[in-house]
Amino acid sequence: MRLISYLSIFILHFVLYGQTNTKFTTLKSALNEPEKAKWLELNCKDEQPLSQLEQLVNVQQLYLKDCALKELPKEIGKLQKLTLLNVQNNQLTFLSAELEALANLSVINLRGNDFEKFPSVITKLPKLREIDLTDNAKLDFSDVIEQLQQVEKLDFLYLSENNLTTLPEQLSLLNALQELHLTNNPNLDLTQAFSVLSKTASLKILVLDENQITGIPSSLSKMTQLEGLVLDGNPNIRLDQLSNQLEKLQGLKVLLLRNSQIEKLPENLDAFNKLAVLELSGNRFSETEQARIKNGLPDTNVVF
């Protein structure tokens, strides 16, 4: 799930772990071939106790999604080769200290759980680079961001679906952060958010899809470090205001405006002509308008 190129933003830039590995969906099958068990995606109906995970020392990716877990088996801490842990859509309120032993963990997905306090064990994982905290609205995100300053390699952060209204000022201190997802936070104060993010010097990609965005505050133009901007699913977005701000974002290379019921871009396309990629699929452009845009942006890869 790493950022690998501008075009990777199209597919949410997932790097497929274990492309040559077999996916095991039950503990029983994995225990029968423990040497091959590197990718474990359990269906939660397995009759084997999760404590037996400690026997699968070669596991690199572990998925325990939608399992109604209130706590994780402590045996996970013995999976020294684990690089990815996905426990989304459970009922977790804490993570045990045993997870501190996961020295190779680089990706953790905690979306859709019941955390009220940020699990501090996360700050002790030396290789951690990606954290998904989507749909954990009970968290105090000022405290979260303050603690995340200890995750030195963090460059990919999901804070989507958390009813955010503002962003903590400390977010600008996440010195390695390159990509931030803020999907479906419709009450987010964009003026304040852009002001904070403009100070986050390492930030390259910002995802703001499905945020009911209408006007584009002028503070967007302060984010001169941006290379990719995702605004999908915002059907009421003011394209004239967006166009005015884009002209000031000289480094922007990728813009996504998919699924937004757009029928026409502004007559003047100059604000878009420095883009490498303009993704407009899922909209309502006529063939005539598509041709006008293509002709007006000959050096941009325009996708309808």
Side-chain angles (χ1 to χ4, degrees):
M1 288 185 267
R2 305 300 315 126
L3 177 63
I4 57 174
S5 70
Y6 293 129
L7 293 179
S8 65
I9 204 170
F10 283 126
I11 57 173
L12 301 181
H13 48 269
F14 284 106
V15 173
L16 295 178
Y17 288 86
Q19 292 177 340
T20 60
N21 294 331
T22 300
K23 179 172 72 172
F24 290 83
T25 58
T26 67
L27 269 176
K28 183 177 180 180
S29 62
L31 290 167
N32 286 336
E33 298 182 276
E35 293 300 320
K36 295 182 179 180
K38 297 181 180 180
W39 175 8
L40 192 56
E41 192 162 340
L42 298 183
N43 59 20
C44 302
K45 297 179 181 178
D46 201 324
E47 296 180 359
Q48 306 292 120
L50 289 176
S51 60
Q52 293 187 346
L53 280 169
E54 65 181 335
Q55 301 178 43
L56 301 174
V57 295
N58 290 317
V59 171
Q60 297 174 15
Q61 304 157 71
L62 176 59
Y63 294 80
L64 292 170
K65 302 184 296 182
D66 302 289
C67 292
L69 295 174
K70 294 186 178 180
E71 61 180 292
L72 296 180
K74 295 180 179 180
E75 289 76 11
I76 289 178
K78 297 182 179 180
L79 305 180
Q80 296 295 302
K81 295 182 180 180
L82 198 66
T83 61
L84 182 152
L85 177 61
N86 187 325
V87 292
Q88 71 182 65
N89 298 333
N90 282 290
Q91 299 168 21
L92 301 174
T93 58
F94 71 98
L95 297 178
S96 65
E98 283 77 7
L99 267 65
E100 184 179 346
L102 299 177
N104 289 304
L105 194 69
S106 62
V107 177
I108 189 165
N109 186 334
L110 301 173
R111 69 167 58 201
N113 278 285
D114 293 328
F115 294 103
E116 295 185 7
K117 187 176 180 181
F118 183 71
S120 59
V121 67
I122 286 178
T123 66
K124 300 176 182 179
L125 301 172
K127 292 188 178 180
L128 194 61
R129 300 183 66 176
E130 177 175 332
I131 301 174
D132 191 338
L133 292 171
T134 296
D135 190 16
N136 278 283
K138 296 177 183 179
L139 285 170
D140 176 351
F141 282 94
S142 292
D143 175 64
V144 169
I145 299 303
E146 184 172 348
Q147 294 201 54
L148 286 180
Q149 292 175 49
Q150 301 176 58
V151 185
E152 295 181 355
K153 295 184 178 181
L154 179 66
D155 57 6
F156 195 140
L157 179 61
Y158 287 88
L159 296 179
S160 303
E161 300 177 26
N162 279 309
N163 299 322
L164 297 175
T165 56
T166 60
L167 296 183
E169 293 289 338
Q170 307 97 308
L171 200 147
S172 64
L173 300 177
L174 300 182
N175 295 323
L177 187 65
Q178 293 189 30
E179 182 157 353
L180 177 63
H181 287 239
L182 294 169
T183 300
N184 197 11
N185 284 293
N187 296 313
L188 184 64
D189 181 341
L190 291 180
T191 298
Q192 186 271 350
F194 292 157
S195 178
V196 171
L197 294 175
S198 68
K199 303 169 190 174
T200 310
S202 58
L203 188 68
K204 302 299 182 187
I205 293 181
L206 178 61
V207 179
L208 287 167
D209 53 324
E210 300 177 12
N211 269 301
Q212 300 179 25
I213 295 173
T214 52
I216 303 294
S218 60
S219 52
L220 175 62
S221 64
K222 298 178 181 179
M223 299 184 61
T224 55
Q225 78 277 34
L226 273 190
E227 297 178 3
L229 179 60
V230 180
L231 295 170
D232 297 337
N234 287 292
N236 297 313
I237 194 167
R238 289 283 305 276
L239 293 176
D240 54 342
Q241 293 183 10
L242 176 61
S243 180
N244 289 337
Q245 300 309 315
L246 289 180
E247 291 183 355
K248 303 170 187 176
L249 299 179
Q250 297 298 311
L252 193 70
K253 300 299 181 184
V254 177
L255 175 63
L256 274 62
L257 285 166
R258 299 173 295 188
N259 305 315
S260 295
Q261 302 178 31
I262 301 171
E263 297 181 356
K264 185 179 177 62
L265 290 188
E267 289 296 329
N268 188 335
L269 297 174
D270 288 350
F272 303 93
N273 63 17
K274 292 184 179 180
L275 295 173
V277 176
L278 176 59
E279 231 285 11
L280 298 170
S281 59
N283 285 296
R284 299 177 177 177
F285 296 105
S286 66
E287 291 185 4
T288 300
E289 177 64 1
Q290 289 184 29
R292 182 184 77 88
I293 295 170
K294 288 270 191 180
N295 292 333
L297 300 172
D299 298 322
T300 300
N301 179 16
V302 183
V303 181
F304 291 103

